[in-house]
């Protein structure tokens, strides 16, 4: 692995009105990875129309023969799995066709392990369980539904990590990642994800709700973290006879700040 702090940057207009810079959280001769922020699509899809598209931005820079990508040894755009736009976390790109084939076959063979951290309000006293409800795309809405007739198999292993007063941090692990899988399975098993507004009514956490001596300032108060509190913290490779280091993605800084505030005030007044 490279010890240098390498990154990929994009000019204004590629991923919004401002320039963007993504430090690489992994980089070797086979693949590189970035820590994708929430709200950014991985590729063009009917469910993510209108959202900035990271793969399209990389493709444009490849067509422009950007020296930065050539220096990294990126031969083309080789996406290996999809991470929902609403989620943040580790996003891995292969650097060449051979690695793309290797990793896509590994995904299809359940040889990649995806580990998420999610902040929730729990309606269950269980501390570890598996949800294996099959999921299908809704006919008309941009969502997934549980369907024992047309749904595809999937499985999510949930494990409690720690409490912050009324909120809890959980880990969700799966070997094959379907759209919205963690969100639907969490909702079905009583884990109300903070920031969720589609599959259940998750909280938005404001400092005024958790700090007893909060002094309200001018203007409208913003939530401590304004995205869905689900982050892909690790991608582990379990490919026979191929040794690849896992990809680790630190929590977004505002997500980390939210946990620190919850830890400080222990979940607050309500």
């Amino acid at each position: 692995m490279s010890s240098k702090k390498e990154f990929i940057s994009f000019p204004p207009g590629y991923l919004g009105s401002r320039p963007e810079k993504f430090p690489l959280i992994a980089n070797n001769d086979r693949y590189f990875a970035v820590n994708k922020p929430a709200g950014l699509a991985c590729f063009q899809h009917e469910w993510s129309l209108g959202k900035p598209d990271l793969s399209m931005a990389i493709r444009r820079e490849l067509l422009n023969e950007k020296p930065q990508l050539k220096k990294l040894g990126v031969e083309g755009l080789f996406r290996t799995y999809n991470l929902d736009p609403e989620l943040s976390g580790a996003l891995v790109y292969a650097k060449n066709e051979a690695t793309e084939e290797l990793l896509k076959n590994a995904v299809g063979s359940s040889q990649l392990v995806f580990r998420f951290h999610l902040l929730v309000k729990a309606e269950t006293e269980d501390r570890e369980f598996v949800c294996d409800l099959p999921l299908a795309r809704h006919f008309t809405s941009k969502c997934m539904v549980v369907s024992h007739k047309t749904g595809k198999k999937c499985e999510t292993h949930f494990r409690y990590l720690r409490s912050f007063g009324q909120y809890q941090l959980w880990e969700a692990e799966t070997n094959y990642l379907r759209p919205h899988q963690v969100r639907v399975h969490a909702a079905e098993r009583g884990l109300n994800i903070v920031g969720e507004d589609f599959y259940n009514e998750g909280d938005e956490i404001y400092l005024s709700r958790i700090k007893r001596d909060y002094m309200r300032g001018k203007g409208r108060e913003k939530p401590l973290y304004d995205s869905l509190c689900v982050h892909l913290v690790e991608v582990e490779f379990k490919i026979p006879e191929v040794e690849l280091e896992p990809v680790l993605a630190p929590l977004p800084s505002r997500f980390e700040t939210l946990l620190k505030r919850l830890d400080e005030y222990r979940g607050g007044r309500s």
Side-chain angles (χ1 to χ4, degrees), residues 28 30-34 42-43 55 58-59 76-83 90-112 114 175-177 232 235-237 239 244 247:
N28 54 44
R30 291 179 181 266
Y31 60 80
F32 69 93
V34 298
C42 297
F43 71 109
S55 293
I58 294 174
R59 179 178 285 112
L77 181 65
F78 305 107
R79 181 174 52 85
T80 57
Y81 60 85
N82 183 36
L83 187 60
L91 184 60
V92 177
Y93 286 94
K95 286 189 174 183
N96 49 59
E97 289 186 7
T99 303
E100 178 190 37
E101 182 178 5
L102 171 71
L103 295 182
K104 283 192 172 182
N105 287 339
V107 170
S109 301
S110 300
Q111 294 171 350
L112 266 63
F114 302 93
N175 290 59
Y176 191 91
L177 191 59
L232 180 55
V235 178
E236 182 182 0
F237 306 96
I239 307 172
L244 299 175
V247 176

Side-chain angles (χ1 to χ4, degrees), residues 18 148 157 264:
R18 299 188 303 177
H148 293 280
H157 186 166
E264 182 179 0

Side-chain angles (χ1 to χ4, degrees), residues 34-243:
V34 298
N35 199 351
K36 185 187 84 69
L40 190 64
C42 297
F43 71 109
Q44 287 189 325
H45 187 270
E46 59 180 329
W47 284 12
S48 58
L49 294 178
K51 294 183 184 296
D53 179 350
L54 181 56
S55 293
M56 180 60 70
I58 294 174
R59 179 178 285 112
R60 289 177 66 181
E61 291 292 63
L62 284 167
L63 291 174
N64 292 336
E65 298 184 345
K66 188 170 186 174
Q68 189 181 56
L69 293 178
K70 284 190 174 182
K71 185 177 179 181
L72 291 174
V74 180
E75 298 176 7
L77 181 65
F78 305 107
R79 181 174 52 85
T80 57
Y81 60 85
N82 183 36
L83 187 60
D84 297 334
E86 298 83 4
L87 309 186
S88 58
L91 184 60
V92 177
Y93 286 94
K95 286 189 174 183
N96 49 59
E97 289 186 7
T99 303
E100 178 190 37
E101 182 178 5
L102 171 71
L103 295 182
K104 283 192 172 182
N105 287 339
V107 170
S109 301
S110 300
Q111 294 171 350
L112 266 63
V113 181
F114 302 93
R115 293 190 180 94
F116 295 83
H117 282 183
L118 49 154
L119 185 67
V120 308
K121 261 189 176 180
E123 297 177 358
T124 176
E125 295 183 358
D126 294 335
R127 288 296 181 263
E128 188 168 355
F129 55 82
V130 174
C131 183
D132 59 359
L133 293 171
L135 300 179
R137 296 192 179 192
H138 193 279
F139 287 113
T140 57
S141 299
K142 298 177 181 179
C143 68
M144 302 293 283
V145 294
V146 175
S147 174
H148 293 280
K149 184 177 180 180
T150 62
K152 294 182 179 180
K153 293 181 180 179
C154 54
E155 181 176 289
T156 311
H157 186 166
F158 292 93
R159 182 170 66 92
Y160 164 85
L161 296 179
R162 63 164 299 189
S163 290
F164 298 87
Q166 61 185 314
Y167 300 100
Q168 298 173 350
L169 188 67
W170 283 67
E171 181 179 85
E173 179 181 301
T174 183
N175 290 59
Y176 191 91
L177 191 59
R178 301 200 183 279
H180 296 193
Q181 176 181 328
V182 172
R183 297 169 66 187
V184 177
H185 280 179
E188 290 289 334
R189 292 301 304 268
L191 300 182
N192 300 317
I193 298 171
V194 173
E196 178 67 82
D197 61 0
F198 197 91
Y199 294 105
N200 58 33
E201 295 182 5
D203 282 358
E204 285 190 319
I205 302 177
Y206 297 85
L207 189 59
S208 60
R209 289 189 57 190
I210 63 175
K211 186 178 180 183
R212 295 183 183 278
D213 57 349
Y214 176 78
M215 299 293 291
R216 189 174 297 277
K218 295 181 180 180
R220 184 177 180 181
E221 185 184 7
K222 296 182 179 179
L224 289 169
Y225 186 63
D226 57 3
S227 300
L228 194 68
C229 286
V230 180
H231 182 76
L232 180 55
V233 297
E234 182 179 4
V235 178
E236 182 182 0
F237 306 96
K238 293 188 174 182
I239 307 172
E241 300 180 0
V242 179
E243 186 174 349

